[in-house]
Amino acid sequence: MARIVYLLELGPDSGKSAVALGLAELLSRKVPGIGVFRPVNPATPDVLLELLRQRYGIADEQLHGVTYAEAAAMLAEGRAEELVGRIVEQFRPLAHRHDAVVVIGTDIDDDLAFNVRLANEFGAVVVAVVNGSGVGPHTLDSAARQAYHALADLDATIAAVILNRTPEVVPAPELPVPCYVIPEVPTIGAPTVGEVAAQLGASVITAGLGDPDAALGRDVLDYVVGAAQVPALLSHLTPECLLITPGDRADLLVAAGAAHASGLVPLAGIVLTLGIAPDPTALALFERLNPGLAVLSVPTASYDTIATSTRMEHRLGPANPRKVEAALGAFESYVDTDGLAGALELNEPARVTPLMFEYDLIDRARAQRRHLVLPEGTEERILRAADILLRRGVADLTLLGDPDTIRTRARDLALDVSAARLIDPVRDPLREEFAATYRDLRAHKGVTLDLARDVVADVSYFGTLMVQLGHADGMVSGATHTTAATIRPAFEIIKTVPGLSVASSVFFMLLPDRVLVYGDCAVNPDPDAEQLADIAISSADTAARFGVTPRVAMLSYSTGTSGSGADVTKVAQATALVRERRSDLPVEGPIQYDAAIDPAVAATKLPGSAVAGQATVFVFPDLNTGNNTYKAVQRSAGAVAVGPVMQGLNKPVNDLSRGATVKDIVNTVAITAIQAQKA
């Protein structure tokens, strides 16, 4: 039976969408498949349902019971029981298709009893969301108690109460059920410049010389009307404000662009009113400043413009992933997700799906936060990933590169990496300490102090030495560097675990219905039997570390004794070594891939094997086979390949593909953080 969680809003503007997202994220880590449902849906497109549908791969065509218009008509005609029946009828099939469902309650007529009736009909537990904005601690305590007792009086099964959007962090009130307090995060509810433009019906005069999507995607945290002279305007500008000024004030347009470009105060954008086109020379100067700001034009006066702008609020949707990450970061920072999972009676899953695996990485990394260094600090994908990682609280970060360049690049992309430490390896005082350390480590290779100073100015060497000397817990690189440039410093400085013959790597292969581990597909060209055994053991340990039960297949072109040759003999010897060193590991080899993964083939070729047909860890005999196989499965089967994940080093360093996406980088950083927890 599916676990049904009914999200019920007590009071308007509680930030229910952000809490719904947080609950869906929590459920996605605990069960293989989740669904979402709105009993009563607005007639307009529902951006929240579309966000949840896309993010969690929900395939249901209809995610609601009835529309607001239908519900209102039925209630007006006294057909309340028929309305409940129709909604329940729509809900039941969806509940049978999923392991858990988040139901987003309706605010129709502010009818609390109607929502509780539906929750009880669904067999749901209720999570209540109370708007905590603009009230003090005593009032919050009273609001939480009133919400609890109002639901209890209606016989609701209450799982938790969440006070959301509070003006400050305060202790949670004591209730018979868990209670959580989530403070206001301005960036979540703030509209973007693009949304304001749509609301105003504005035309975009320029989006700067940078990324127009970034310029229109900036958050509007405040509004400033500019009509005074330049010095007065500059003193009134606030961070991330939208400047609204008449179109003929060329002086204010240029001054605002200069203030933003110089770093004096970051703006959201500029709106020119009265339908007056800006002076062409002033606009050209503004664009040459390259502030990365959008300039909008509206026909209305300043008063009407600001009145219309301030009446709108952003709605969480798939178009702005940055706000999604901010909402999840707030939820996960202030809600005890393990405690809430217990209140929702969510047990640990029997199997791990790809979606569960990816979201579990974030959860586990956050549980014991570590400090990681990213050497490619000016690269756009790294900056976008850093923005997500910092918002979600996945890890503390150091970005290497010229700090001014990093800040400017982040500003132009409308990203916030202000919480990261920025270090220029060429100018930082640590360079001298690192040079001395590297000289000592490589003196046997003739490395002098002068040579060492040059070597450690390289971001890969500087980042590796940060890890070695305890200034960071791990490193992720490779978005713009080769694998050799990333891994060579690790082999020279960090080195392999004592007693291990070789460092190696694995890929986590996220197939539609399972997670497999492939090793080694990136590092060792032709391992011998002893090295292959070490790769197998390391891969099994890595799999177990990340929630994949290890059943190891030592791959070959032969299954059992069906073939012969030097390559088959090597795999057989490696299998024997694994059994000798780790009798606790289920291992089979030599075995062909089809016999390892397909139960029907296994029943014919190796009947009775504990691994054949159900292997989870696939150890390839050489790099040629492994690299080609992982890429073939990735491209042909639509699998997501996460990695390569290095194993066998004394401290975690991981390499990215130069084609890595932002999502790949986020996953790899989370994996590295988890490895650092173990270290």
Side-chain angles (χ1 to χ4, degrees):
M1 180 63 182
R3 178 39 114 194
I4 314 301
V5 183
Y6 199 106
L7 186 62
L8 206 162
E9 181 179 45
L10 285 88
D13 300 324
S14 67
K16 180 174 62 178
S17 295
V19 177
L21 177 66
L23 284 172
E25 189 85 358
L26 173 60
L27 291 170
S28 71
R29 297 174 187 151
K30 298 296 183 181
V31 299
I34 70 167
V36 293
F37 185 77
R38 269 201 200 269
V40 181
N41 199 43
T44 55
D46 192 321
V47 293
L48 175 60
L49 285 186
E50 190 56 33
L51 166 64
L52 298 176
R53 184 200 297 273
Q54 291 184 24
R55 184 174 180 85
Y56 302 106
I58 299 169
D60 302 292
E61 292 185 4
Q62 182 164 324
L63 302 178
H64 70 270
V66 298
T67 67
Y68 274 0
E70 291 171 330
M74 294 177 74
L75 290 172
E77 296 167 4
R79 298 157 57 198
E81 288 301 314
E82 183 182 344
L83 172 60
V84 170
R86 279 187 58 181
I87 293 172
V88 172
E89 184 181 359
Q90 291 286 350
F91 173 75
R92 287 299 178 190
L94 183 141
H96 287 304
R97 291 194 295 271
H98 299 284
D99 302 286
V101 180
V102 177
V103 180
I104 304 167
T106 173
D107 56 1
I108 184 169
D109 295 330
D110 294 321
D111 193 340
L112 185 63
F114 179 75
N115 277 286
V116 173
R117 167 76 185 280
L118 288 177
N120 290 339
E121 293 288 353
F122 294 168
V125 295
V126 172
V127 173
V129 187
V130 182
N131 187 352
S133 61
V135 296
H138 179 73
T139 308
L140 288 174
D141 189 90
S142 176
R145 294 182 186 283
Q146 288 177 13
Y148 172 80
H149 289 295
L151 291 169
D153 290 344
L154 292 168
D155 294 325
T157 303
I158 310 165
V161 174
I162 297 177
L163 291 164
N164 195 31
R165 304 184 68 177
T166 63
E168 57 183 323
V169 180
V170 297
E174 292 187 12
L175 297 177
V177 298
C179 183
Y180 307 103
V181 176
I182 304 177
E184 178 79 70
V185 179
T187 58
I188 297 175
T192 64
V193 174
E195 289 170 334
V196 173
Q199 177 82 358
L200 296 173
S203 58
V204 180
I205 295 176
T206 181
L209 301 179
D211 182 355
D213 290 336
L216 293 171
R218 293 184 179 280
D219 298 324
V220 179
L221 302 185
D222 195 8
Y223 299 86
V224 172
V225 176
Q229 297 302 310
V230 168
L233 172 74
L234 295 178
S235 65
H236 284 83
L237 293 176
T238 58
E240 307 302 331
C241 72
L242 186 68
L243 173 63
I244 299 173
T245 187
D248 60 357
R249 292 299 303 270
D251 56 335
L252 301 189
L253 172 67
V254 174
H260 180 87
S262 67
L264 178 66
V265 58
L267 304 185
I270 300 172
V271 179
L272 303 180
T273 63
L274 302 174
I276 301 174
D279 176 76
T281 303
L283 182 61
L285 175 57
F286 175 88
E287 290 182 325
R288 288 295 297 271
L289 289 169
N290 194 22
L293 293 177
V295 178
L296 312 177
S297 177
V298 296
T300 53
S302 296
Y303 176 83
D304 294 327
T305 302
I306 197 166
T308 303
S309 300
T310 54
R311 285 197 298 266
M312 67 176 297
E313 185 174 284
H314 170 80
R315 299 292 180 187
L316 279 177
N320 199 324
R322 197 162 40 84
K323 290 185 182 292
V324 170
E325 300 301 336
L328 288 172
F331 185 90
E332 294 164 344
S333 295
Y334 295 100
V335 173
D336 175 7
T337 51
D338 287 338
L340 182 55
L344 300 176
E345 298 180 8
L346 296 170
N347 299 318
E348 288 301 313
R351 66 187 179 94
V352 178
T353 68
L355 194 63
M356 291 166 65
F357 178 83
E358 289 189 89
Y359 293 149
D360 185 59
L361 291 179
I362 303 297
D363 208 29
R364 294 175 64 182
R366 289 182 65 256
Q368 297 180 40
R369 194 157 161 167
R370 291 293 183 263
H371 188 136
L372 302 185
V373 56
L374 307 181
E376 298 149 325
T378 59
E379 157 66 28
E380 177 178 339
R381 289 167 295 160
I382 295 293
L383 288 169
R384 292 190 182 279
D387 178 271
I388 293 171
L389 292 160
L390 293 169
R391 288 180 189 275
R392 297 290 298 276
V394 176
D396 297 319
L397 299 178
T398 291
L399 303 178
L400 299 187
D402 177 64
D404 290 337
T405 302
I406 293 173
R407 292 189 191 98
T408 300
R409 189 77 175 117
R411 184 202 66 204
D412 291 346
L413 295 168
L415 303 173
D416 182 6
V417 296
S418 58
R421 183 184 181 190
L422 309 182
I423 292 180
D424 184 351
V426 175
R427 298 177 178 84
D428 195 272
L430 286 173
R431 181 181 178 184
E432 198 63 28
E433 175 192 348
F434 289 179
T437 299
Y438 186 72
R439 175 203 58 193
D440 294 343
L441 287 170
R442 306 294 290 176
H444 65 288
K445 295 290 186 179
V447 173
T448 64
L449 186 58
D450 285 341
L451 177 58
R453 287 192 186 100
D454 291 338
V455 170
V456 303
D458 176 86
V459 291
S460 296
Y461 277 92
F462 192 94
T464 304
L465 281 157
M466 283 187 69
V467 176
Q468 176 66 12
L469 297 179
H471 297 280
D473 300 309
M475 183 179 88
V476 174
S477 188
T480 60
H481 290 82
T482 64
T483 295
T486 299
I487 299 303
R488 185 187 300 112
F491 286 161
E492 292 181 4
I493 297 166
I494 293 175
K495 302 181 180 178
T496 57
V497 173
L500 198 66
S501 64
V502 68
S504 58
S505 72
V506 296
F507 278 92
F508 290 101
M509 302 300 294
L510 312 187
L511 287 101
D513 61 342
R514 70 187 96 177
V515 177
L516 304 177
V517 177
Y518 285 7
D520 173 14
C521 305
V523 178
N524 296 285
D526 189 18
D528 59 28
E530 182 174 352
Q531 291 171 332
L532 203 58
D534 280 343
I535 292 169
I537 292 170
S538 295
S539 301
D541 289 343
T542 298
R545 176 72 176 163
F546 289 94
V548 178
T549 302
R551 292 184 290 273
V552 183
M554 307 292 287
L555 297 175
S556 172
Y557 58 78
S558 168
T559 295
T561 58
S562 65
S564 60
D567 292 337
V568 177
T569 301
K570 179 180 78 170
V571 174
Q573 291 172 345
T575 305
L577 287 171
V578 173
R579 288 176 175 148
E580 177 185 323
R581 296 174 186 174
R582 289 288 300 275
S583 59
D584 59 305
L585 280 180
V587 60
E588 190 69 70
I591 187 171
Q592 292 161 291
Y593 192 97
D594 59 347
I597 200 167
D598 189 327
V601 176
T604 301
K605 293 189 175 183
L606 275 179
S609 170
V611 172
Q614 53 183 338
T616 57
V617 179
F618 295 77
V619 180
F620 294 92
D622 53 57
L623 183 60
N624 181 56
T625 307
N627 192 270
N628 278 293
T629 302
Y630 106 76
K631 289 182 177 178
V633 173
Q634 180 186 32
R635 301 299 177 184
S636 302
V640 176
V642 178
V645 178
M646 290 296 299
Q647 51 192 17
L649 293 172
N650 278 309
K651 295 185 179 182
V653 171
N654 279 312
D655 177 43
L656 297 165
S657 163
R658 277 172 284 176
T661 64
V662 172
K663 183 179 180 181
D664 294 334
I665 297 167
V666 170
N667 285 339
T668 303
V669 170
I671 285 172
T672 309
I674 295 168
Q675 289 178 311
Q677 292 169 0
K678 181 180 180 181

